[in-house]
Amino acid sequence: MTYQPLDEVRKSLKVKWYRSPIAHDKLRDLSKRSDAQGWFQSTGHLGLYVATGALVFFLWSGQIWAVFIIALFFHGTVASFFVGVAPHELGHGSVFKTKRLDKIFLYIFSLLSWWDPFDYASSHTYHHRYTLHPEGDRENLLPLEPSLRSTFMVQLFTVNILTQRGRTFGKGGLISTIWLTILGAFGRVGDLDIPMNEWIQSLHDDQPEEYRKSIWWSRFLLVFHGGVVVISIIMGLWALPLILTVAPFIANWLAYFVGLPQHCGLMENVPDFRKSVRSMTLPPLVEFLYWRMNWHTEHHMYAGVPCYNLKKLYHEIADDMPQPRTLIGAWREMRDIWRRQKVDPDYAFDTPLPPTAQTVRTDVDAPDALEESIGELAPKGLE
């Protein structure tokens, strides 16, 4: 499918989003950022990564292989949430009160996970402004298959080596990520018949300054991870690349299971986040690793609210919101939708709203500027 240039989309596509009413003072309170909360979330996640990585190295040194494999599985599970999860909220600039700390941790998490924060800043700005309106948002291009294929599951529970870039933002598995990073270092994106490559190219055409930064970041990624491999060879520490360079591709199972339900199977081209975004309840540790993005409808509705306040936000607007799914319930729903979409490709699930829900704003107060805030996500060319 051919899409119009994004600079034309910005002129022609105006989405009047419905947002659940909330008192201005309450929204301002929920939008306050906290360095203490930011340190807890960021260093807590990094601390788990360091602890599991240190355990992997210790077990490797002692050649305790059975426990080594188990520890590596848990290390990979923790590291999987570096890929697009930690950089997501830090990219919004809404984790820390001190702005430079968001940038510092954004680059740390992105470096360790092969993530491109510059392409993502452009993409995710469009994603929030035009959520699931494909002319202006192809970060998640529907329909998406909630795949449970055995060959894919084997990779998710071991090492994700062969997964290719497709219809969601990301670089795929280990081989695809290395190859796309090499291409990116030379300013290329690959085959434009692949939906995500077409989206990345559209972003590069639209935001040339971010494109230049992306090229240099890809080169930096290759130097850093190449250096890890060289040092490991020289020093005979073959566990080092597993802990640092390969870790984001090990045990991707949990990140996949909690990440895919965000939009999969829901409605395109509607001005209501409740119809195009899905929220879920999760156990506390999983919610922490996921940076509270299980409250995803709330995040889209009020993207300037820090991740650690999203559950509070839900309770403030609960009467106007769909009931959050459980993880199992979300997957059952997605699988049912996918089976129907194979018969009827135009089908999308219409999320039911509670009887107390509104569809048109009736409050008479002037809209709060915080309502449309996406934090400091937008690059200069999209501010």
Side-chain angles (χ1 to χ4, degrees):
M1 183 173 178
T2 302
Y3 300 95
Q4 62 179 328
L6 290 172
D7 60 340
E8 294 296 325
V9 171
R10 294 199 300 275
K11 298 173 185 176
S12 62
L13 182 58
K14 307 295 181 183
V15 183
K16 296 182 179 180
W17 290 107
Y18 172 83
R19 289 180 168 87
S20 297
I22 183 172
H24 294 345
D25 59 345
K26 179 56 67 173
L27 180 58
R28 283 193 294 273
D29 184 55
L30 290 173
S31 297
K32 290 178 180 177
R33 302 162 191 180
S34 164
D35 281 346
Q37 290 269 30
W39 279 109
F40 175 76
Q41 178 66 55
S42 300
T43 60
H45 197 172
L46 277 172
L48 287 172
Y49 174 85
V50 171
T52 54
L55 180 60
V56 168
F57 188 83
F58 171 77
L59 294 168
W60 170 78
S61 300
Q63 299 185 13
I64 309 173
W65 300 121
V67 188
F68 165 81
I69 292 173
I70 296 172
L72 187 61
F73 179 86
F74 283 106
H75 181 60
T77 299
V78 171
S80 296
F81 286 91
F82 284 20
V83 184
V85 176
H88 166 266
E89 192 67 13
L90 291 161
H92 275 280
S94 58
V95 179
F96 291 91
K97 183 178 180 180
T98 304
K99 291 184 178 181
R100 69 176 179 275
L101 291 175
D102 279 307
K103 289 293 185 184
I104 290 170
F105 280 100
L106 169 64
Y107 295 140
I108 290 172
F109 281 105
S110 297
L111 179 63
L112 292 171
S113 63
W114 295 81
W115 191 252
D116 187 331
F118 302 105
D119 279 349
Y120 189 61
S122 299
S123 174
H124 206 58
T125 298
Y126 278 107
H127 179 59
H128 273 279
R129 291 178 179 172
Y130 305 110
T131 305
L132 265 59
H133 289 68
E135 282 289 346
D137 170 32
R138 298 189 287 284
E139 190 168 283
N140 296 269
L141 192 59
L142 302 183
L144 295 173
E145 179 185 0
S147 178
L148 296 175
R149 296 176 184 175
S150 58
T151 52
F152 183 47
M153 288 295 105
V154 168
Q155 290 191 82
L156 291 187
F157 281 91
T158 55
V159 184
N160 188 352
I161 297 175
L162 301 175
T163 302
Q164 298 295 304
R165 174 184 271 176
R167 301 175 68 86
T168 58
F169 193 96
K171 298 179 182 178
L174 177 61
I175 293 175
S176 176
T177 294
I178 294 172
W179 175 241
L180 289 171
T181 304
I182 292 171
L183 288 179
F186 289 96
R188 298 169 55 197
V189 299
D191 184 359
L192 296 183
D193 288 334
I194 296 172
M196 195 46 52
N197 287 347
E198 181 278 328
W199 175 235
I200 297 295
Q201 185 62 60
S202 296
L203 295 169
H204 288 176
D205 294 340
D206 183 60
Q207 299 296 313
E209 181 60 30
E210 298 307 300
Y211 173 32
R212 285 189 286 271
K213 293 177 183 178
S214 173
I215 292 172
W216 282 105
W217 182 257
S218 293
R219 294 170 181 174
F220 184 49
L221 288 175
L222 292 172
V223 170
F224 174 78
H225 289 288
V228 170
V229 173
V230 170
I231 290 172
S232 71
I233 293 173
I234 292 173
M235 300 185 66
L237 301 174
W238 63 261
L240 194 60
L242 287 178
I243 295 170
L244 291 175
T245 295
V246 184
F249 309 99
I250 297 172
N252 291 168
W253 64 285
L254 187 56
Y256 173 72
F257 284 136
V258 302
L260 191 64
Q262 290 180 357
H263 304 284
C264 181
L266 301 181
M267 301 180 74
E268 292 181 320
N269 296 308
V270 292
D272 191 334
F273 296 115
R274 299 171 297 179
K275 302 291 186 177
S276 59
V277 191
R278 185 185 280 112
S279 288
M280 301 181 298
T281 56
L282 293 174
L285 178 58
V286 180
E287 190 171 272
F288 175 81
L289 287 174
Y290 196 30
W291 288 57
R292 283 77 165 207
M293 280 300 107
N294 51 301
W295 301 103
H296 209 67
T297 313
E298 294 73 19
H299 168 66
H300 269 264
M301 195 170 283
Y302 294 106
V305 173
C307 60
Y308 38 78
N309 286 338
L310 288 176
K311 189 173 183 178
K312 295 178 183 177
L313 173 61
Y314 164 71
H315 287 297
E316 287 293 326
I317 59 177
D319 289 346
D320 201 48
M321 298 291 286
Q323 187 72 20
R325 284 76 153 179
T326 64
L327 180 58
I328 293 174
W331 270 86
R332 184 180 295 118
E333 181 177 280
M334 291 191 301
R335 295 286 290 177
D336 290 343
I337 293 167
W338 180 250
R339 280 189 285 269
R340 183 162 175 177
Q341 285 176 334
K342 287 191 287 186
V343 178
D344 178 7
D346 294 327
Y347 174 74
F349 182 71
D350 187 357
T351 302
L353 302 177
T356 52
Q358 303 177 36
T359 56
V360 178
R361 289 289 289 267
T362 58
D363 49 324
V364 296
D365 293 339
D368 194 315
L370 285 174
E371 289 191 4
E372 296 183 359
S373 172
I374 57 173
E376 278 73 55
L377 173 66
K380 288 184 179 180
L382 290 174
E383 289 177 350

